[in-house]
Amino acid sequence: MMPDATSPRPPLPLPNPVVQGLVAVGQRFGQQGHVPATSGNFSCKVGADRLALTASGHHKGRLQPEHIMQTTLQGQPLEAQQPSAETALHVQLYERYPWVNAVLHSHARSAVLATLCLAQHDTVTLQGYELLKALPNITTHDTSLTLPVVPNSQCMAALTDTVAQALVRWPDAPAYLIHGHGLYTWGATLADAERYHEALDALFQLELARQRLLPIP
Ligand SMILES: [Zn+2]
């Protein structure tokens, strides 16, 4: 029988290391309480034109390989699963920064608390910590890092718009926060994105503790 030229071509299988990498990040995030319930979502760029993305509705700490799905770079599903509700925020980062190959979103407690307790003028600033050097383009503790905090919204178009404005204003930020919601980090590799997330989680915890012990007058 002749193949039907109108039927969609099945996607190539995702590379195993990409799938296993995302599952492993989920397990580590789950162990640390960064992705309670079914929150959070992760993605990696695959080749020039596909994303590997966590499908919607699964606990990210207990991901199975079949919970990682494929979309186009624009976030259109290439298989019969529902991509994450926040896919547009991943797509936005890949479109804005061509060097980015991985995006991680968590609901880490430290990040949520940072938006509630540390934010001033829609930003959170961290300064003077040796651990800042874990973040890109920082080589000394004697500096400060400002991260944008955008208001949360259930309207993805509105959220994407406010994030776009924040990224224009803070083009070098390696992450952004969503008020009362969580954290987005990204990197040239999945390992980079996870390391930035780990450093920021620790820095938020340090700053929250410091301000409790030594309130700013
Ligand atoms: Zn979220």
Side-chain angles (χ1 to χ4, degrees), residues 32 34 110 125-145 147 174 192 194-208:
Q32 294 166 80
H34 294 335
S110 64
T125 297
L126 302 158
Q127 68 180 56
Y129 293 109
E130 178 72 10
L131 191 55
L132 285 168
K133 289 162 56 186
L135 293 157
N137 306 316
I138 296 181
T139 56
T140 173
H141 67 281
D142 190 15
T143 189
S144 70
L145 172 71
L147 300 175
D192 284 351
E194 187 178 13
R195 191 169 64 256
Y196 304 152
H197 186 284
E198 185 175 355
L200 288 169
D201 174 43
L203 286 161
F204 295 145
Q205 290 187 47
L206 281 166
E207 187 63 17
L208 287 160

Side-chain angles (χ1 to χ4, degrees), residues 38-41 84 86 89 105-107 152 159 178 181-184:
T38 58
S39 67
N41 36 69
S84 158
E86 296 180 24
L89 297 176
H105 167 54
S106 83
H107 290 200
N152 198 14
L159 194 49
I178 306 176
H181 177 159
L183 172 69
Y184 269 82

Side-chain angles (χ1 to χ4, degrees), residues 26-194:
Q27 286 172 346
R28 289 191 285 274
F29 273 27
Q31 285 162 2
Q32 294 166 80
H34 294 335
V35 284
T38 58
S39 67
N41 36 69
F42 320 135
S43 68
C44 282
K45 199 192 282 182
V46 179
D49 57 0
R50 288 185 293 159
L51 297 181
L53 188 80
T54 45
S56 183
H58 303 291
H59 194 296
K60 307 310 178 300
R62 301 173 209 138
L63 286 174
Q64 300 297 316
E66 58 269 27
H67 299 154
I68 310 297
M69 65 172 294
Q70 294 189 64
T71 71
T72 65
L73 266 191
Q74 293 73 41
Q76 296 304 313
L78 291 171
E79 51 190 281
Q81 293 200 71
Q82 181 76 18
S84 158
E86 296 180 24
T87 298
L89 297 176
H90 290 245
V91 168
Q92 176 179 48
L93 289 166
Y94 291 114
E95 287 181 343
R96 180 163 207 89
Y97 305 121
W99 56 270
V100 167
N101 289 304
V103 174
L104 297 175
H105 167 54
S106 83
H107 290 200
R109 281 174 296 231
S110 64
V112 177
L113 281 172
T115 70
L116 300 175
C117 306
L118 303 178
Q120 290 186 319
H121 308 298
D122 299 328
T123 58
V124 166
T125 297
L126 302 158
Q127 68 180 56
Y129 293 109
E130 178 72 10
L131 191 55
L132 285 168
K133 289 162 56 186
L135 293 157
N137 306 316
I138 296 181
T139 56
T140 173
H141 67 281
D142 190 15
T143 189
S144 70
L145 172 71
T146 299
L147 300 175
V149 181
V150 301
N152 198 14
S153 173
Q154 300 307 314
C155 171
M156 198 43 56
L159 194 49
T160 309
D161 266 3
T162 44
V163 170
Q165 291 167 30
L167 295 177
V168 167
R169 187 156 172 228
W170 305 101
D172 299 325
Y176 68 82
L177 294 143
I178 306 176
H179 190 263
H181 177 159
L183 172 69
Y184 269 82
T185 59
W186 51 88
T189 67
L190 184 59
D192 284 351
E194 187 178 13

Side-chain angles (χ1 to χ4, degrees), residues 3-17:
D4 178 357
T6 62
S7 59
R9 202 184 315 158
L12 295 169
L14 284 170
N16 207 34

